[in-house]
Amino acid sequence: MLRLALMFFIVAVIAGLFGFGGIAAASAEIAQFTFFIFVALLVISLIFGVIDRRGPRL
């Protein structure tokens, strides 16, 4: 997912350099959205990983 956010960021930068403001803004918004989803999923997986290690083993 982080690779997808990076790809949209690169598309936004290239579109901005060539003057395509609408495409650049849309790509930047998608990149920001996917990045925050990635961060949220990372935090959730880290929390569940810590909880799983501390739980009793039966």
Side-chain angles (χ1 to χ4, degrees):
M1 184 164 295
L2 190 58
R3 186 177 297 169
L4 185 64
L6 183 62
M7 182 182 66
F8 276 112
F9 175 72
I10 291 171
V11 168
V13 169
I14 292 172
L17 287 174
F18 287 120
F20 297 110
I23 296 172
S27 294
E29 218 172 296
I30 293 171
Q32 185 178 13
F33 180 72
T34 55
F35 177 74
F36 285 127
I37 288 177
F38 168 77
V39 170
L41 291 175
L42 175 71
V43 169
I44 290 170
S45 67
L46 288 175
I47 289 171
F48 280 120
V50 169
I51 290 172
D52 187 40
R53 281 192 220 151
R54 291 186 182 176
R57 302 279 177 175
L58 297 176

